[in-house]
Amino acid sequence: MTIEELKIDEGLRERTIIIPFSKYSNETPSPIVSVSIFGQKAFMLVDTGADISYLTDNFFYQYLPDDIVSCGKYDIVGLLEDVTGNEVFNIPVLIENIEVDHRFIVGNINMAFEELEEKHNIILAGIIGADLISKMGMCIDFMNNVIWFKSNCYDN
């Protein structure tokens, strides 16, 4: 799907970036997008039901730069279990051609992805939550399997 194929106002079209996404199954159409973190290509699940964005500790500590410093701790209160003592980091992430510094919670959320990774043979680095979705003004178009957002959303 290209921007020209979407029915978007011409003025908005000039300022819009389109990211195609994959779905890991037809039963659960949650979008998976390609990003770059610490210069490493990674895949992240876009999850509107997650309030905050997460990185798995497996991915983070494998590619952690020497100069990154924790911003503090964050406890995750979940429906199934609570995960305490997670580190918070401001991390630059490249989504399409837009780099944004964002606060990620780094913790042991690896088991949340185990079945997905095993069943669909994809390794996820984390979750793009509602905080980053909102920050970037993302719109998820499930009919066309794309996410779009304004390319000038960081001009202010």
Side-chain angles (χ1 to χ4, degrees):
M1 174 69 49
T2 66
I3 187 94
E4 290 76 25
E5 295 171 312
L6 292 176
K7 294 181 172 133
I8 299 175
D9 173 81
E10 194 66 36
L12 180 60
R13 183 178 294 171
E14 293 174 8
R15 302 182 317 271
T16 302
I17 293 177
I18 302 245
I19 306 169
F21 67 78
S22 303
K23 297 185 284 188
Y24 62 85
S25 83
N26 288 329
E27 301 85 40
T28 311
S30 297
I32 296 172
V33 296
S34 177
V35 300
S36 179
I37 303 169
F38 307 137
Q40 299 295 318
K41 183 178 176 181
F43 294 99
M44 296 187 77
L45 178 69
V46 180
D47 186 352
T48 59
D51 290 334
I52 54 179
S53 298
Y54 304 89
L55 283 180
T56 66
D57 55 359
N58 285 349
F59 178 86
F60 180 78
Y61 291 113
Q62 181 176 358
Y63 299 109
L64 173 69
D66 294 334
D67 60 348
I68 196 163
V69 178
S70 173
C71 302
K73 300 276 186 185
Y74 190 91
D75 294 338
I76 300 170
V77 179
L79 294 174
L80 301 176
E81 64 181 279
D82 295 346
V83 182
T84 59
N86 298 287
E87 296 281 338
V88 179
F89 294 89
N90 283 324
I91 298 171
V93 59
L94 187 66
I95 302 175
E96 199 60 22
N97 61 353
I98 301 290
E99 183 173 297
V100 58
D101 286 310
H102 190 68
R103 186 178 121 155
F104 284 87
I105 309 304
V106 175
N108 186 1
I109 59 167
N110 307 308
M111 24 181 224
F113 296 142
E114 283 177 0
E115 182 180 339
L116 173 65
E117 292 172 350
E118 200 172 282
K119 189 174 180 182
H120 302 285
N121 197 27
I122 186 168
I123 305 296
L124 294 174
I127 295 171
I128 295 175
D131 57 345
L132 185 54
I133 293 168
S134 175
K135 183 178 186 176
M136 296 188 75
M138 291 182 175
C139 295
I140 303 170
D141 179 349
F142 286 99
M143 290 187 71
N144 295 301
N145 292 337
V146 295
I147 296 172
W148 57 278
F149 58 93
K150 294 185 293 184
S151 62
N152 65 344
C153 59
Y154 300 103
D155 290 349
N156 298 327

